[in-house]
Amino acid sequence: ANVFGVEVEARKNFGFLTEDLQNLSLNLNASVVKSEIEMGDNEYNSRLSFARQGEVIEKERELQGQSAYLINAGLSYMTTDKGFEAGVFYNVQGKTLQLIGFSRNSDVYAKPFNSLNVNLSKRIGKNLDGGAISFKIDNLLDSKRLSVYEAYMATDQIYQQRSPRRTFSIGYSYNF
């Protein structure tokens, strides 16, 4: 298999605008990937024999499990002297070949899942060493995880749909 990609990361603290924003920062990370694998004879011949009229079957296909892009973004606020941290984080991964189709079965692709999460944490104790209380919200957008069969000139058909729902958690931790 061949995998080619580019990753870009940027971090910026907002203290340059005003001293009051010194503890606020933005983090961005993006990857673009091109993957390719040469199919074995069995897979290639199977795809040829079940090809639809007008469909062109190449000897190469994308790599299973490798999405074409990944984006992470986060806005965070942290005060080490007060032991407070807060953040809003976004993540999305592009369409990904989940299951390789064989014979009459089409390939299954996981569609992009947009994840928006919020984290809050406050260290407690006389010297901020008495542990930490945290609050988290995951999947704030209430996005669904969708996998579909994709075939040439056909409407996508649902293979699997999961609704992970929003989750809320409160925690306490103590470091020894």
Side-chain angles (χ1 to χ4, degrees), residues 31-153:
S31 299
V32 178
V33 179
K34 169 76 172 144
S35 68
E36 182 180 270
I37 189 168
E38 187 172 319
M39 289 184 271
D41 290 338
N42 287 341
E43 180 182 357
Y44 180 68
N45 291 331
S46 174
R47 288 178 184 259
L48 280 177
S49 63
F50 289 99
R52 295 178 176 205
Q53 185 175 352
E55 184 177 9
V56 175
I57 305 297
E58 302 289 335
K59 185 73 173 164
E60 297 81 25
R61 65 163 168 78
E62 61 196 295
L63 191 60
Q64 181 183 14
Q66 179 63 60
S67 69
Y69 67 88
L70 176 68
I71 300 170
N72 295 299
L75 186 63
S76 55
Y77 182 83
M78 180 172 53
T79 59
T80 51
D81 60 328
K82 293 183 178 145
F84 179 74
E85 293 183 42
V88 178
F89 305 97
Y90 173 76
N91 171 273
V92 64
Q93 180 175 327
K95 182 176 90 169
T96 306
L97 178 58
Q98 183 176 348
L99 296 171
I100 300 165
F102 197 76
S103 159
R104 296 176 192 252
N105 299 318
S106 301
D107 291 334
V108 174
Y109 286 88
K111 294 292 192 172
F113 175 75
N114 294 285
S115 175
L116 184 63
N117 305 313
V118 175
N119 297 335
L120 301 169
S121 176
K122 173 70 173 108
R123 298 209 46 81
I124 56 175
K126 185 176 177 182
N127 296 320
L128 300 177
D129 59 359
I133 298 172
S134 61
F135 176 71
K136 290 177 63 174
I137 305 172
D138 288 331
N139 195 19
L140 190 61
L141 301 174
D142 201 21
S143 296
K144 294 175 179 27
R145 292 192 177 268
L146 181 64
S147 298
V148 297
Y149 290 105
E150 282 192 12
Y152 179 74
M153 299 295 288

Side-chain angles (χ1 to χ4, degrees), residues 7-18:
E7 180 177 11
V8 177
E9 185 168 347
R11 297 173 189 238
K12 187 63 179 167
N13 176 290
F14 288 94
F16 70 95
L17 294 173
T18 174

